[in-house]
Amino acid sequence: MKQDAALRESLRRIDEPSNQVLRARVQALAGELAAARQRAILVRCDLNKEPHKAVAAALGLSMRQFYRERAAMLEQLALLLARRRQGRGGMPDISRLELARARSLRYCGHRKAALNALAVLAEDAADPHAALLARAETIAILTDENDFQLCEAQVRESYRFMEQLGIHEGVGPAMVAAQHREFLWCSGREAQALARDREALGLLTALAARGNGAEHECAVHALTLGARHAFMAGDTEAARKQLDLARMLLHRSDSYVPDLQARTKLLHASLLLAKGDQSESVSAILYDAAYLAERLGWIDLEIDVAIGISMEYQSRDDVRGALRMLRSLLPAAAPRASRLHFGDLCLRLADLELCAGNAVAALEILEDVRGCIAPYTYSSASRYLLTARARFARNDVAAAREAECLRSLDVHRAARSA
């Protein structure tokens, strides 16, 4: 007890204003220890191929902390390699800075401010491709907010802008087309989105072959969206082909783009899980993606990755662990997440509650999330299906049949709108 009291007193003294030098030294020592752990992980796991669990135990780390340390090490390594390849480049142009600022606002949940910044950039950018990138980002934000009417108008305006200037190739048009396909998918026109994904594959392959960093990023973004569409439609082979090309481009790219890295890792892990792979590597991939999403501070991406991790939990029959993990995300997600992604989080929670035998809790979630779900969409059909399952679990057969009828009507109307 005396030793514990002495330790607490020492720690208190470190925090005193008069001990700035000592505090800085302690922080530096903590950084040195973390760097030493990360070097050990790099050498033992990635070079010597030692088992992750054995290395984590030797370093005194939990598996979660081990994967955080490994992800930090990989990020630093990627940044170092990118700097060596790029050398001393010039200052980025103002359009790229403004686009980055708008994305940062979006990541922090300030979507209205992001839309305002993008509207100014779309009108004032000297480079038409920069204006198109701003329009593509606008389409993405409106899609995530289920604001399909404004989104449709923005899509039409973007194509009109391209026609007026005679621009049909390059990064700008490719990004607008990619976000248009994502809009079609999210608004319930999945068949159209899949058909356009297939048509775009040749153009994206040609775009990637040019070797430009920005074109690589654009191709990876579009391929990742297409792979996710194919995966959700059950076509794992098409998803794998697009994802393999995206991962190859990321490997060859000089730039380091955390959101694309996280999305490709998430899809890779999802495909492995769909194949029945429950190996240690799946957890490693998912925790790498979670670390990147957390560092980026984008709650929508954190939700996507957390849903993927919950699938991995469920594959190991740990439904309660999956529930605890997703519930812990709700306080941060409620004020910051987009309507689309918050709806996805709640639907996944309702599904897990049903798997855990909590039909009442599932029904409460499904009722509360009604306002975040757009009608005639994949999410809307999922909500009706989950409602029917919950009603059947409660022996409320009439209500279950009503929910199933509404789901069928929803799917039928979505098919007609496509």
Side-chain angles (χ1 to χ4, degrees):
M1 295 295 291
K2 290 182 178 180
Q3 289 178 340
D4 291 343
L7 178 59
R8 285 195 296 270
E9 177 62 19
S10 298
L11 291 173
R12 185 188 66 77
R13 289 179 179 176
I14 288 173
D15 284 333
E16 290 177 355
S18 59
N19 283 327
Q20 291 182 1
V21 175
L22 180 57
R23 187 164 61 252
R25 179 57 189 150
V26 170
Q27 291 172 346
L29 180 60
E32 291 170 7
L33 291 173
R37 288 195 300 269
Q38 291 166 16
R39 282 195 297 272
I41 291 170
L42 173 65
V43 172
R44 296 181 62 175
C45 294
D46 295 277
L47 297 181
N48 297 341
K49 305 300 181 184
E50 294 182 40
H52 290 185
K53 288 184 179 178
V55 175
L59 295 174
L61 301 174
S62 68
M63 292 308 297
R64 185 177 182 87
Q65 183 61 30
F66 169 85
Y67 287 127
R68 285 180 180 274
E69 295 278 9
R70 183 169 180 269
M73 175 271 295
L74 292 173
E75 182 178 17
Q76 291 300 317
L77 182 61
L79 289 170
L80 175 63
L81 293 174
R83 283 196 296 267
R84 287 186 175 181
R85 288 174 181 172
Q86 291 172 347
R88 293 182 177 273
M91 288 291 291
D93 63 79
I94 191 67
S95 296
R96 287 180 65 85
L97 290 174
E98 284 298 308
L99 187 60
R101 184 173 76 88
R103 284 175 176 161
S104 296
L105 289 168
R106 178 190 179 193
Y107 294 166
C108 295
H110 302 300
R111 283 172 288 278
K112 287 185 179 179
L115 287 170
N116 290 336
L118 291 167
V120 172
L121 181 57
E123 291 297 322
D124 297 347
D127 180 4
H129 284 278
L132 285 171
L133 289 175
R135 293 174 186 274
E137 194 74 16
T138 300
I139 294 168
I141 294 174
L142 294 173
T143 298
D144 282 349
E145 286 301 301
N146 294 336
D147 196 340
F148 297 152
Q149 187 173 359
L150 274 179
C151 197
E152 191 87 58
Q154 186 64 228
V155 168
R156 287 196 300 270
E157 181 59 33
S158 298
Y159 284 123
R160 189 180 302 117
F161 180 79
M162 285 188 277
E163 286 294 331
Q164 288 175 349
L165 297 182
I167 301 174
H168 302 289
E169 294 182 354
V171 173
M175 283 296 286
V176 168
Q179 290 306 149
H180 183 201
R181 295 193 294 275
E182 175 72 353
F183 162 57
L184 289 172
W185 177 273
C186 293
S187 60
R189 289 168 282 184
E190 291 93 347
Q192 280 192 42
L194 290 167
R196 288 174 180 254
D197 283 336
R198 288 190 291 270
E199 292 171 4
L201 191 55
L203 294 174
L204 292 173
T205 304
L207 186 69
R210 297 174 189 172
N212 179 284
E215 290 175 331
H216 276 182
E217 288 180 26
C218 172
V220 171
H221 178 79
L223 287 165
T224 305
L225 290 178
R228 186 171 63 83
H229 297 162
F231 176 74
M232 293 179 71
D235 191 348
T236 55
E237 186 60 31
R240 192 178 307 281
K241 286 180 180 178
Q242 294 186 70
L243 181 61
D244 286 346
L245 180 54
R247 293 176 67 206
M248 181 195 72
L249 290 172
L250 273 179
H251 181 71
R252 284 168 42 190
S253 177
D254 288 343
S255 56
Y256 179 70
V257 190
D259 62 317
L260 295 180
Q261 295 278 356
R263 289 194 182 283
T264 54
K265 287 177 183 294
L266 173 59
L267 266 171
H268 183 204
S270 299
L271 283 166
L272 290 174
L273 284 172
K275 198 171 64 174
D277 189 337
Q278 297 183 21
S279 67
E280 185 180 275
S281 61
V282 177
S283 294
I285 295 166
L286 284 169
Y287 279 113
D288 282 351
Y291 175 82
L292 291 169
E294 186 178 348
R295 284 291 300 271
L296 197 61
W298 188 8
I299 191 64
D300 286 356
L301 186 55
E302 290 183 59
I303 288 172
D304 286 345
V305 175
I307 290 172
I309 293 175
S310 77
M311 298 287 189
E312 195 266 338
Y313 272 75
Q314 192 173 11
S315 73
R316 294 186 280 105
D317 296 324
D318 188 3
V319 173
R320 297 194 181 281
L323 273 169
R324 283 195 300 272
M325 187 265 299
L326 289 186
R327 284 172 184 158
S328 69
L329 194 59
L330 277 174
R336 292 171 48 210
S338 66
R339 295 166 72 85
L340 175 66
H341 288 84
F342 188 74
D344 287 345
L345 174 61
C346 291
L347 289 175
R348 178 60 181 151
L349 271 169
D351 187 16
L352 288 169
E353 292 286 8
L354 280 170
C355 293
N358 303 327
V360 174
L363 286 168
E364 288 176 356
I365 293 170
L366 292 167
E367 182 60 31
D368 290 344
V369 79
R370 181 195 294 268
C372 292
I373 305 294
Y376 319 135
T377 61
Y378 185 96
S379 296
S380 179
S382 296
R383 180 179 170 277
Y384 284 129
L385 180 60
L386 288 168
T387 301
R389 283 175 53 197
R391 293 296 185 189
F392 271 121
R394 299 267 299 160
N395 293 321
D396 191 348
V397 177
R401 285 176 175 167
E402 179 186 358
E404 180 57 29
C405 288
L406 287 170
R407 185 189 74 86
S408 300
L409 182 62
D410 217 42
V411 172
H412 178 65
R413 285 178 177 171
R416 287 186 64 184
S417 69

